[in-house]
Amino acid sequence: MHRLRLAPISCALTAIFAASAPPVHAQSLIELYEAARAYDATYQSARSAYDASIARAEQAKAGLLPSVGLSASASRTEQELRLENVGSTNRTIPQESAGINATQPLYRPANWATYEQSKRQLDIAQAQLTLADQDLIVRASQAYFDVLASQDSLALVRAQKAATEEQLAFAKRNFEVGTATITDTREAQARYDLVVAQEISALNDLQIKKIALDQLVGRVNANPTPLAAPVVLPPPPTNVEQWVRQAEDGHPSIIQAQRNLEVAHLEVDKARAGHKPTLDAQLGYNVTNNPNGTSTSTSLQGIRVNAASIGVVFNMPLFAGFATENRVKETLALEDQSRSVLEATRRNVTQATRSAYLGLVAGAGQVKALEAAEASSQSALDANRLGYQVGVRINIDVLNSQSQLFQTRRDLAAARYNVLLGNLKLRQANGTLSEGDLQPINASLAAPGSAGASASPDQPSAATQSPIAPAPAQVAPPTGVTPPPVRPPTR
């Protein structure tokens, strides 16, 4: 009765998800990464911040280049003149002026420090963009393999469901003919109901992973290409110290911290410039026209003045209420803070590189162990099925063997995907990850048009299968020695 209740639910969910996801051609990892690079809002934000930093760096040059201004004015003055023995009279005095003036900084240490800071800040923006690009590579790959892992999990659950259903039917037939007890049937029914529940959960997990991938790449129903058979993983890395040295030499986070320290040092120079003089060169040409004379003359004749000027302006600050001294103290403290941040960044990068290295090595070893476990679990299942047929094993032994085999295959697929991701994360940890590192992974995917080029939730991919091992050689017993008889295992 449980099977009759749960099976329609599973079938209905499968139909709903199939209807909502029309089949599309499979996309490679690089194809989906490029789509994410053009669509992902986080990366686009980092790109815009980098573009803004380029413009900000150009702005800093203004403190070193000349500034030129054009000015013009017109005014009208009403004047009342009182003359002795004559009385008062009114006079209108218009004035018009125009001029062009230029200033060239000759010695401004604060402006020069600002310009040097802008170059360091551009390096910081470049490092931040590199980190954003590396993060996008890992996020796109993670979402890609999450979908493949969920598809494999669903396909294996469905394969386990079919095998459990077959075992349930077998137990019922044996009970009807009297060769098995009702316990076998009930155990098989309980395991079948459990697998149906697992199938519903796997369906839901697959849809969540697909939504995450679609949102990242900006496509509907993205369909990642699975791994090709046989699965070939890159060899595990060697010499962790070389990876650490590589990280210390060029990790974007370390470069960013180094440039921040240099910016802080230049900020100290800017603060100390508050005690230093400034020197500017000025050049100007001004024209003043007074048609009715000036306010200081009684002549009504027009006066036009053309004045060209050139000079040097010197300014020396003497006292600013101790503001400059305290500004220097502030910037020195901030420089010490930046130096501590640089040291902490170095330590964090070293730790992250070592952790990623050890995780990748352990993951590669886990794949080897799970490949052997998958072959052993298959052999154990075959032996338990044969033992159940001849009466030396019970139904629960077969069911447990089935569960162990399918769980091992799920773990094997997940471990393989984790190794591929681990290679990318190791390069991200030591700061050398680039788009080119996706090429080897992309080359390990199934070729377009091949039988396994499109992942399916109904058929486990090559990632779930261990390599076919050669048949063990048959070793003959020594001459004159009778081999021991084979006995069924005792319970």
Side-chain angles (χ1 to χ4, degrees), residues 2 24 52 54 60 64 125 135 166 170 193 196 230 246 266 270 286 342 353 370 378 392 397 404 409 457 479-480:
H2 292 288
V24 293
I54 295 177
L64 305 178
D135 177 67
E166 180 181 355
F170 190 62
D193 295 341
V196 170
Q246 212 172 21
L266 290 169
K270 285 174 62 177
N286 295 274
L342 173 59
T353 302
L370 287 171
Q378 182 64 62
V392 296
D397 296 329
Q404 179 179 334
R409 288 178 174 174
T479 305

Side-chain angles (χ1 to χ4, degrees), residues 168-192:
L168 174 59
F170 190 62
K172 286 184 176 180
R173 287 195 301 269
N174 287 346
F175 175 71
E176 291 172 356
V177 299
T179 58
T181 65
I182 191 62
T183 302
D184 288 350
T185 302
R186 291 176 176 173
E187 288 174 343
Q189 182 68 61
R191 188 60 58 88
Y192 178 85

Side-chain angles (χ1 to χ4, degrees), residues 113 117 262-272 327 331:
Q117 281 181 325
E262 294 171 7
V263 168
H265 180 72
L266 290 169
E267 192 67 26
V268 175
D269 292 343
K270 285 174 62 177
R272 287 173 174 166
R327 175 60 181 161
T331 54

Side-chain angles (χ1 to χ4, degrees), residues 92-109:
T92 300
I93 305 174
Q95 185 182 51
E96 301 165 352
S97 65
I100 182 170
N101 295 275
T103 300
Q104 171 63 57
L106 298 179
Y107 179 73
R108 283 186 174 268

